[in-house]
Amino acid sequence: FVQPTQLLVIGKKASEHLEKVMAVYKFFYDDKNAAQMYEDGLYVPIRNEAVKAATKKPALKNFAEFANVPEKFVMLPMPDTLIQIEGLAYRDAIVKYLSGQSGEDAKAVLDDADKRYNAALSKVDKSKLEVYKLPSGMAVEKGK
C-alpha cells in the first residue's frame, strides 16, 4: 500500500510557492489520480473510494484480486512521542531477541513489552489517544 504523497519531498524553498505546492499535493491525493494508478497496476490505493472510482480493471493480471483489501484504513503511526516507556522500546526488545542477546523466549519478550507499553499508555490523557482508535466496525483479531 502506498499513499502517493509519501513519495513526495518538499524543500524549504517550496514555502515561497505554497499555491503550486498545494496544487501538486491535490493532484496526488485526488481519487481520480489514484484510480488511474490502480488501473495501471502501479499501487494499491489506501482509500477504497479511489478503487471504486476506477473505470476499468487493472491492466496487470490478477492485480484486482491482489488489491482487493476492503477493510484497509489509514491510522496514525505508533504514539511513541506520547508515552514514556520503562526499559527497552519494543523494536529494541525484538532486535535483542532476534540477535540472541535476550536469553528469553519470544513470548516472554513480547509479553514484557506488552505489559510495559500498556503501563505507559495508562498514564496518557485519554483524549490524546482518541485518534488511535480503530474506525467504527473494525476489530482486531488475535492470531492463533
Side-chain angles (χ1 to χ4, degrees):
F1 297 103
V2 67
Q3 183 63 32
T5 53
Q6 291 171 333
L7 307 174
L8 301 176
V9 177
I10 296 177
K12 189 173 183 177
K13 187 85 171 159
S15 64
E16 298 173 16
H17 308 282
L18 292 178
E19 296 81 19
K20 290 180 180 179
V21 170
M22 289 311 299
V24 171
Y25 265 97
K26 285 179 183 178
F27 169 79
F28 278 103
Y29 267 114
D30 187 73
D31 283 345
K32 262 178 54 177
N33 177 51
Q36 182 179 350
M37 294 180 97
Y38 165 77
E39 292 170 357
D40 293 340
L42 296 174
Y43 71 85
V44 179
I46 292 290
R47 290 176 35 85
N48 290 323
E49 293 83 353
V51 175
K52 291 175 185 170
T55 58
K56 61 182 180 182
K57 285 188 77 165
L60 284 171
K61 182 180 179 182
N62 297 325
F63 189 80
E65 293 77 13
F66 171 76
N68 183 17
V69 186
E71 292 187 356
K72 64 186 178 293
F73 53 88
V74 178
M75 285 191 77
L76 293 173
M78 293 293 293
D80 292 346
T81 58
L82 295 177
I83 55 179
Q84 301 296 315
I85 307 299
E86 290 187 23
L88 292 175
Y90 73 93
R91 296 173 188 92
D92 298 327
I94 291 171
V95 167
K96 189 175 176 182
Y97 168 74
L98 292 175
S99 64
Q101 299 175 30
S102 68
E104 299 180 55
D105 63 42
K107 184 172 180 356
V109 170
L110 295 175
D111 284 348
D112 176 62
D114 189 49
K115 179 181 171 186
R116 293 182 295 105
Y117 272 77
N118 283 331
L121 281 170
S122 72
K123 298 174 186 170
V124 176
D125 179 355
K126 302 301 179 222
S127 66
K128 291 183 179 180
L129 298 176
E130 286 297 312
V131 295
Y132 295 96
K133 285 189 172 181
L134 289 174
S136 178
M138 303 299 275
V140 175
E141 292 182 24
K142 188 172 181 175
K144 295 179 182 178

